[in-house]
Amino acid sequence: MPPRALDPSGLFLIDKPEGPSSFSVVADVRRRTGARTGHAGTLDPFATGLLLVLSGAATKLAPRFVGLDKRYLTEVDLSATTDTGDREGEVLERHDPPVELDPLLDALRGEIELPVPAASAVKIAGERAYKLHRRGVAVEMPVRRSRVDKLELVDYSDGVARLDLHVSSGTYVRAIATALGGHCTALRRTEVGPFGVDEADPERLLTADEALARL
């Protein structure tokens, strides 16, 4: 197979819909442009929102974009936990949702350490954790340190909390949902660093200079 083209070069801001994987979205861009293509952080298939897709020669700039802070809106069902931290997992426990959320949220602001979800891309003994999970292999997941700069309660009704989060790169919102005693039923990434989902346009290519000037 011939090497992928280095043009067009730049950054696409894509609003990923629910369903397809991030890799399929990247593949769609690659087929459309014919250029080398990469991403600066994935979203789970059930999640929606902003993906940064690097094209052509700009793929070499991925390290500049991978570590940017993220902002999410999520809905957390606090009546049950699941083995994946989201609605696609098996229910582990059902319970009455808490009446008061402020103490739980307070404990998850700032620097925190939480176990990585079992259904994640982290490698365990050389194999992706989600592949082990699918086969029913139980493993002790590593703990990841992250930073939660903002964790605000937007709405809480019928045991479902709607949260607005601003977190450091590498933070698993599903892990936060589990720590609250629930699981994510919806997840949308609204910002990656200075880039917002409201400016997403699959036809618009930011040049590398334009994108880097915003960091």
Side-chain angles (χ1 to χ4, degrees), residues 3-124:
R4 295 286 182 180
L6 298 181
D7 289 303
S9 176
L11 180 69
F12 287 104
L13 305 181
I14 307 291
D15 186 354
K16 188 190 90 66
E18 182 178 338
S21 69
S22 299
F23 299 104
S24 67
V25 173
V26 170
D28 286 343
V29 174
R30 184 183 299 118
R31 282 191 293 269
R32 177 162 56 88
T33 63
R36 178 184 301 167
T37 313
H39 63 80
T42 62
L43 283 168
D44 294 325
F46 88 96
T48 70
L50 186 60
L51 284 178
L52 304 188
V53 179
L54 296 151
S55 177
T59 54
K60 67 182 180 181
L61 300 174
R64 300 288 301 274
F65 297 94
V66 168
L68 297 175
D69 290 356
K70 313 290 193 302
R71 186 175 180 182
Y72 298 91
L73 288 174
T74 186
E75 292 181 4
V76 180
D77 182 346
L78 292 168
S79 68
T81 55
T82 70
D83 59 357
T84 59
D86 60 44
R87 69 187 192 209
E88 298 181 342
E90 297 291 330
V91 173
L92 297 175
E93 180 190 17
R94 297 190 185 277
H95 46 254
D96 292 333
V99 175
E100 179 58 56
L101 289 187
D102 285 344
L104 297 174
L105 297 176
D106 286 343
L108 292 169
R109 295 187 180 104
E111 298 284 341
I112 61 172
E113 291 186 349
L114 294 173
V116 174
S120 68
V122 169
K123 285 190 174 181
I124 305 294

